[in-house]
Amino acid sequence: MKNVFLSVIVFAALLLTATNSMAQTAPLKIGVFDIDLMVQAMPGYRAIDSLTQIYERDSLGSEYEIYQSEYKRLDSTFKSDSAASKPKAVLDYTNNQRQQIAFNLIYWQQIAQRKSDDKRGAMAQPLYEKVAAAYKKVLDTKKYTLILKPNTYELGSSAVENIFPLVAKELNITLPPELGGAQQNAANTQKPGTKPQQ
């Protein structure tokens, strides 16, 4: 009988402790945001995109042509040195140079993409800093528990809040409709004191 009574008291204490801890935890607050998409919505990003395309066309295009001509030169040098029975050290050196250039030509798409991304990232750094500062202000104010990227949750969930309009308001920019710009515009055109239409 003592064991049963003791078990009931322990169970009641555990239940009381669990209830108190659940009451103290904050509710789950989920937001949706992607800093890359927000930077792309910034007004200055179009200029960065245009400059990156010029860089790809002019600088990277020229670099690829240089690799092609250098490979042809090294290949013909290697063939003529082989025919002339040059020393093995000379042939090995030319062959190694030719292989390095061939490697760059084979993986040119990846090399060019990395260089293009680096160039775009360097030019967009001030925009990223502005968006990050505005995003931090929104997070400090709204106290989100979890932030998801778009397309990582089921649409229609009312528990998920779109953070894009809040950050756009902080930055004083207009969002495109795909990021919630239509909602932002509707909220801005309301009469003061009226509730937003659901």
Side-chain angles (χ1 to χ4, degrees), residues 84-101:
S85 298
K86 296 258 179 151
K88 183 179 181 323
V90 171
L91 292 175
D92 287 346
Y93 177 79
T94 305
N95 191 40
N96 286 339
Q97 295 294 315
R98 184 178 66 160
Q99 287 177 350
Q100 287 177 354
I101 297 294

Side-chain angles (χ1 to χ4, degrees), residues 31-44:
V32 175
F33 188 75
D34 185 342
I35 195 165
D36 294 324
L37 292 176
M38 191 70 205
V39 167
Q40 291 169 12
M42 294 286 287

Side-chain angles (χ1 to χ4, degrees), residues 6 22 33 62 113 153 183:
L6 186 60
M22 289 177 77
F33 188 75
S62 297
Q113 185 64 48
Y153 67 98
Q183 297 167 356

Side-chain angles (χ1 to χ4, degrees), residues 63-81:
E63 190 174 340
Y64 182 72
E65 290 173 8
I66 290 169
Y67 280 135
Q68 285 182 321
S69 65
E70 184 64 11
Y71 180 80
K72 289 175 186 176
R73 185 190 68 77
L74 287 169
D75 190 49
S76 70
T77 301
F78 180 76
K79 288 176 183 175
S80 65
D81 287 352

Side-chain angles (χ1 to χ4, degrees), residues 13-49:
L14 287 174
L15 187 62
L16 184 61
T17 304
T19 305
N20 283 341
S21 67
M22 289 177 77
Q24 292 174 357
T25 59
L28 183 64
K29 191 168 183 183
I30 303 171
V32 175
F33 188 75
D34 185 342
I35 195 165
D36 294 324
L37 292 176
M38 191 70 205
V39 167
Q40 291 169 12
M42 294 286 287
Y45 190 78
R46 286 191 187 111
I48 291 170
D49 199 36

Side-chain angles (χ1 to χ4, degrees), residues 121-147:
M123 289 188 295
Q125 187 63 33
L127 295 178
Y128 273 98
E129 290 170 1
K130 285 180 185 176
V131 170
Y135 177 54
K136 185 177 181 328
K137 282 183 182 178
V138 169
L139 290 182
D140 290 345
T141 304
K142 295 290 189 167
K143 307 286 187 215
Y144 289 98
T145 311
L146 177 67
I147 305 295

